[in-house]
Amino acid sequence: MLRGLSIKNFALIEQLQVSFDSGLTTITGETGAGKSLLLGALGLLLGKRADLSSVKDSSQKCIIEGEFLIQQYKLQELFEEEVLDYEDETIIRREILPSGKSRAFVNDTPVTLQSLAALGEKLIDIHSQHQTLEVTSNDFQFTVLDALAETHREVESYKRGLRILKQKEKEVQQLIANQENFTKEYDYNSFLLKELEDAKLKPGELEEVEEQYEKLNNIEEIQERLSSAIGMVSSEDIGISDQLNTVKASLSKIELYSGSLKELSGRVASIAIELEDVHTALVDELEKLEADPQKLEETNQRLQLLHNLQVKHSASGIEELIELKEELQQKVSKTESLSEDIEKLKTEIQSTKDRLDEVAVKIHKKREKALPALIVELEEILKALGMPNATFQASVKMREQYFSNGKEVLEFLFSANKGGSFGELRKVASGGELSRIMLAIKTILSRYTQLPTIIFDEIDTGVSGEIAHKMADLMLNMSSNLQVFSITHLPQIAANGQSQYKVFKEDINDTTVTQLKLLSKEERVREIAEMIGGKDISDTALTHAKSLLHY
């Protein structure tokens, strides 16, 4: 409920601060006194756009603040979605700066207008003769029917299932699209993969093959050089080995004369041993060499294959070719398994549809059972509101299509006159009729669900007499379940309020400002008497006013 409202520097309102109670609050005042300004200020709290023209003094900041008690609305989840701190007593503030920029806050946290609107629609419902088209929408009609049918749990279950269904259908469509794309490339990818698999690539292979090719391709030169080196080491006359042995023998004869000579003798001995090892290795290497033209050709072909694959795939090495092979394996494998994945998803989709169908049938049965009771209640209330011949024809019919709240189409037809033809509400009902229908529907809804604070903005225009009393009684009955405001020109409705405020203009320091005042018991009598008989209040009007107020 709206606990308090503070307005500063807005239109004709200079400074206004007021508290409200639960129940029915009526707001009265002459035409043009500024009742619409209150709605305009509330509209800003509910997320409507603002501009500098709505500011009284453009050099000062405009501030509108509302205090709401929201514990009964179960809005914790909405606060989490909007990343807001939840408080049972929530403060919404809207500021319009002199620059024309607007800011909004919920519990001192900055919010966007979109977030403010999402929260605002859960807190206040402003209803006027110009805002009755909601009642003509199919979604709203289903909301009313579901309140009576008590299908909340089933509808929520259906909506969760529908979200899953849409997600799975989206996934299968994506898989089918992928399958089409992959199928186009499948043959080419399979060819490339086979080519790389047949190559039997190994990491580091290129260096090994290049080395082997160089060795086989230059075998004669290698043999010649190795033979020459062996001869130089082991020749009997001038071989390095014999000469080194001679040096070693000479030094061994004098090594006892000093430590340095002994060291040199040892070093020469080590060189002789190492030289012998080198000679053995050279002989082994020479013996292993054998010209093999076939092996050379095979190595050359392998080398050309590796180079060609690198060029073809713009690869920097064998490792990159191996990575490419693995990628192609995944693509080919994925293409081959897509059909299986698609069939699996289609099975899951059908299973989801089967479960949705079960829930939809439960919803349909409950709605079908509740619909006649809704029609009876509506027609009874409208009869009391001066529409004795108002009748409805309504039905819910199952369809194959999955709609947002079930698998049904709701046909809700109306006729205001006896013997008149039935038609859709938006086409056959007048503004005044729609206004009363909405009042009747909100009256019914208030008994079955927790509605936000509702503000009736002069929906009683053109109503008088006994109908005005009935309308007043409906509003009072509604207020036992929710906070109700009624901006009215009818004394019958004004008198039914548990509290009454008057909107009026007054001149202060040569400036016209709008004020809002909570009326005392005596002030209410005079205000309602004036609404009955005009400015010149008669004793009869006072007596009538007291009777309306039950004083």
Side-chain angles (χ1 to χ4, degrees), residues 47 106 122 139 145 159 164 178 180 187 216 222 228 264 291-292 329 366 394 400 428 501 524 529:
V106 174
K122 304 292 185 183
D139 285 344
L145 178 57
K159 288 181 176 179
I164 293 172
N178 289 344
E180 291 175 355
D187 292 339
L216 289 171
I222 296 171
S228 175
L264 285 171
D292 189 343
Q329 284 173 334
K366 283 192 169 186
E400 290 299 317
V428 300
Y501 289 81
R524 286 193 74 179

Side-chain angles (χ1 to χ4, degrees), residues 438-473:
M438 178 62 94
L439 175 58
I441 287 175
K442 291 293 174 71
T443 300
I444 295 170
L445 273 177
S446 68
R447 298 202 297 268
Y448 294 94
T449 187
Q450 181 62 59
L451 294 176
T453 293
I454 187 167
I455 300 176
F456 291 109
D457 177 21
E458 298 184 0
I459 68 164
D460 48 35
T461 301
V463 174
S464 59
E466 187 60 26
I467 297 174
H469 281 290
K470 292 292 184 182
M471 193 173 283
D473 289 341

Side-chain angles (χ1 to χ4, degrees), residues 151-411:
T151 59
H152 175 74
R153 187 172 298 175
E154 289 86 353
V155 170
E156 285 303 310
S157 174
Y158 174 89
K159 288 181 176 179
R160 286 194 298 271
L162 186 61
R163 286 194 293 270
I164 293 172
L165 175 62
K166 288 183 176 180
Q167 179 60 35
K168 289 185 180 297
E169 288 179 334
K170 183 178 179 182
E171 288 176 11
V172 80
Q173 290 303 319
Q174 185 62 54
L175 283 181
I176 291 172
N178 289 344
Q179 187 182 44
E180 291 175 355
N181 292 331
F182 288 162
T183 300
K184 293 175 184 177
E185 301 174 2
Y186 177 74
D187 292 339
Y188 181 61
N189 287 338
S190 298
F191 169 77
L192 293 179
L193 175 61
K194 187 176 185 309
E195 190 177 50
L196 290 173
E197 286 179 336
D198 290 345
K200 294 180 172 50
L201 303 170
K202 294 182 294 184
E205 180 186 9
L206 181 61
E207 292 77 8
E208 294 177 6
V209 175
E210 286 177 337
E211 180 180 331
Q212 187 177 36
Y213 174 78
E214 291 298 325
K215 188 175 181 180
L216 289 171
N217 194 44
N218 297 281
I219 193 165
E220 292 180 358
E221 182 183 355
I222 296 171
Q223 288 174 328
E224 182 182 335
R225 300 286 184 184
L226 282 174
S227 296
S228 175
I230 291 169
M232 293 175 68
V233 172
S234 60
S235 174
E236 292 183 1
D237 297 327
I238 57 171
I240 298 172
S241 180
D242 284 345
Q243 293 183 32
L244 189 60
N245 286 330
T246 301
V247 173
K248 183 176 72 169
S250 297
L251 290 176
S252 65
K253 292 178 180 179
I254 60 174
E255 64 180 8
L256 296 177
Y257 298 141
S258 72
S260 59
L261 290 174
K262 188 174 182 178
E263 180 186 353
L264 285 171
S265 178
R267 289 170 64 183
V268 169
S270 296
I271 292 171
I273 294 171
E274 178 65 19
L275 182 61
E276 186 62 31
D277 287 343
V278 169
H279 177 263
T280 302
L282 288 172
V283 172
D284 290 344
E285 193 71 28
L286 179 61
E287 289 177 349
K288 287 189 295 184
L289 289 176
E290 183 180 353
D292 189 343
Q294 183 177 349
K295 183 68 172 177
L296 175 61
E297 180 60 25
E298 291 174 357
T299 304
N300 182 49
Q301 290 178 359
R302 182 65 176 175
L303 189 60
Q304 288 301 317
L305 174 63
L306 296 179
H307 280 300
N308 289 341
L309 288 174
Q310 282 184 256
V311 172
K312 181 174 184 176
H313 296 286
S314 300
S316 58
I318 300 298
E319 288 74 12
E320 193 171 329
L321 286 174
I322 293 173
E323 289 178 7
L324 176 61
K325 183 188 72 172
E326 292 171 352
E327 290 176 9
L328 287 169
Q329 284 173 334
Q330 291 178 1
K331 287 183 179 181
V332 170
S333 174
K334 195 169 185 179
T335 304
E336 292 171 346
S337 66
L338 268 179
S339 295
E340 183 180 335
D341 294 340
I342 289 171
E343 289 307 313
K344 182 181 177 182
L345 256 181
K346 285 182 176 179
T347 301
E348 292 176 3
I349 287 172
Q350 187 56 53
S351 177
T352 304
K353 285 183 175 180
D354 292 341
R355 291 195 297 271
L356 273 178
D357 290 345
E358 291 177 10
V359 178
V361 168
K362 291 179 182 178
I363 294 171
H364 175 66
K365 288 180 178 178
K366 283 192 169 186
R367 286 172 173 172
E368 204 171 36
K369 184 178 179 181
L371 193 54
L374 172 61
I375 298 304
V376 169
E377 282 201 70
L378 276 176
E379 290 178 351
E380 287 179 355
I381 294 173
L382 291 175
K383 185 179 292 185
L385 291 177
M387 297 173 64
N389 298 316
T391 52
F392 293 89
Q393 284 184 353
S395 64
V396 282
K397 297 177 181 178
M398 292 287 286
R399 294 286 186 267
E400 290 299 317
Q401 185 176 348
Y402 293 96
F403 301 109
S404 63
N405 54 6
K407 294 186 67 176
E408 297 154 282
V409 172
L410 172 60
E411 189 175 61

